[in-house]
Amino acid sequence: MAITAKDVMKLRQMTSAGMMDCKKALQEADGDFEKAVDIIREKGKMVAAKRADRETTEGAVLVRTNGDKAIMVCLGCETDFVSATADFKALADEIADAAIANFPANQEDLKAAKCSNGHTVEEEISAQTGKTGEKHVLAYYATLEAPFIAQYVHHNSKLGAIVAFNKEVPAEVAKNVAQQVAAMNPVSVGTKDCPQEVVDKELAIYKQQMAEDPKMAGKPEAMLENIAQGKLHKFFKEQTLEEQDFVWDNKVSVKQYIQSADKEAHVIAFKRFSLSD
């Protein structure tokens, strides 16, 4: 069966694959478009398998909000050349739109969600891999639900944050706190919700340091415990969002900054992702 340029263009519009890939797929499928689509998608899976060990340090972080819901997603790839293409950006947008529309509970559910063309997110990522010959992955996905949500995505699209508040706060406060999360990478909102494994690890480090310090030899156990707790307090001040110095005015903490705008406002939760971490 003769394959025309019109046929090739039609398949390209259906799959976004390259012209030569479309022509070869149509020839292999004897002009059957459904089979040709399957051939292109299978090629994407094979390319993905061959490049499974490649690092995906480039890509795009996107945020979408809808009322009291927000999602943050990252589509990763291998090079900044690919992440700058229109096709890559369009796919990242499709995935973010599917995420906020369906609000999946986890990454696996998001992979199974449908894009606007009826294909799943996982299928579209595989097809993009086949098209470019470069590994593409759903690098990150997170959700938040809250009365008010702030967002920030850095200008290079490689770093983002979403922050949940218990109530609406001024736009400038919301933006500044989201930027604080992105820039300072806190471990938790406050001391009370800091993961116990993080606390245990820090205390273990402090105690090991003191055990190896000759100046601490023979000191009472209670004194050593107080020193460890003092170091932990410093850790909380530097690493928890509420206790951190506000980056635009280090004379106040983030908690104090928020409450200077609204005494009843506080952060409930946050999510942060960086392709550079």
Side-chain angles (χ1 to χ4, degrees):
M1 177 181 176
I3 305 300
T4 67
K6 185 177 180 181
D7 293 332
V8 173
M9 185 57 68
K10 179 180 176 181
L11 184 59
R12 175 172 167 75
Q13 290 172 347
M14 292 170 66
T15 64
S16 296
M19 296 291 282
M20 288 305 299
D21 288 333
C22 289
K23 183 177 180 180
K24 289 177 182 177
L26 282 167
Q27 289 173 337
E28 187 177 338
D30 291 326
D32 187 313
F33 281 91
E34 288 188 12
K35 288 182 180 178
V37 169
D38 289 340
I39 289 168
I40 287 172
R41 295 195 177 281
E42 284 303 315
K43 179 190 175 186
K45 292 177 184 178
M46 288 188 290
V47 172
K50 289 178 181 178
R51 302 184 74 85
D53 60 342
R54 298 297 184 100
E55 291 188 358
T56 52
T57 55
E58 298 294 335
V61 176
L62 294 91
V63 171
R64 294 284 190 276
T65 59
N66 183 18
D68 62 351
K69 294 181 173 64
I71 65 92
M72 183 162 61
V73 67
C74 176
L75 177 63
C77 61
E78 296 177 41
T79 66
D80 57 357
F81 174 80
V82 166
S83 67
T85 63
D87 284 347
F88 181 91
K89 293 176 181 178
L91 177 56
D93 281 332
E94 274 280 353
I95 294 170
D97 290 344
I100 194 62
N102 295 279
F103 208 63
N106 51 53
Q107 276 201 32
E108 289 306 308
D109 288 348
L110 175 54
K111 289 178 182 178
K114 296 292 181 70
C115 294
S116 60
N117 62 6
H119 299 140
T120 67
V121 166
E122 186 170 35
E123 288 171 340
E124 287 300 295
I125 292 173
S126 179
Q128 187 76 359
T129 294
K131 177 184 175 183
T132 64
E134 185 169 306
K135 181 180 177 182
H136 288 63
V137 295
L138 185 59
Y140 181 80
Y141 171 64
T143 66
L144 283 179
E145 286 189 78
F148 186 74
I149 300 175
Q151 62 171 293
Y152 172 74
V153 176
H154 198 52
H155 62 81
N156 64 3
S157 297
K158 297 174 74 171
L159 167 66
I162 47 178
V163 182
F165 290 84
N166 66 318
K167 61 180 298 188
E168 185 173 355
V169 297
E172 184 177 4
V173 172
K175 181 189 75 172
N176 287 343
V177 174
Q179 287 182 330
Q180 173 97 20
V181 170
M184 302 305 293
N185 193 16
V187 297
S188 63
V189 173
T191 58
K192 292 181 180 179
D193 68 326
C194 186
Q196 189 60 46
E197 60 267 26
V198 173
V199 174
D200 292 342
K201 181 180 178 181
E202 288 300 313
L203 287 173
I205 291 171
Y206 306 149
K207 290 176 180 179
Q208 182 64 33
Q209 289 172 341
M210 288 187 287
E212 296 173 356
D213 186 350
K215 295 178 181 179
M216 294 293 157
K219 298 289 185 183
E221 189 64 31
M223 180 183 291
L224 297 177
E225 181 64 27
N226 285 337
I227 293 172
Q229 289 297 325
K231 289 178 177 289
L232 183 63
H233 178 76
K234 182 181 179 182
F235 171 82
F236 285 147
K237 179 166 177 55
E238 294 175 347
Q239 301 297 331
T240 63
L241 177 62
E242 289 184 334
E243 302 301 322
Q244 282 180 343
D245 290 341
F246 180 49
V247 291
W248 284 270
D249 180 3
N250 60 15
K251 294 179 181 179
V252 298
S253 67
V254 173
K255 182 177 181 179
Q256 291 170 331
Y257 169 68
I258 295 170
Q259 293 189 340
S260 69
D262 187 331
K263 293 187 181 300
E264 297 179 354
H266 63 268
V267 173
I268 300 171
F270 65 81
K271 302 291 183 181
R272 175 191 181 275
F273 181 76
S274 171
L275 274 163
S276 302
D277 286 352

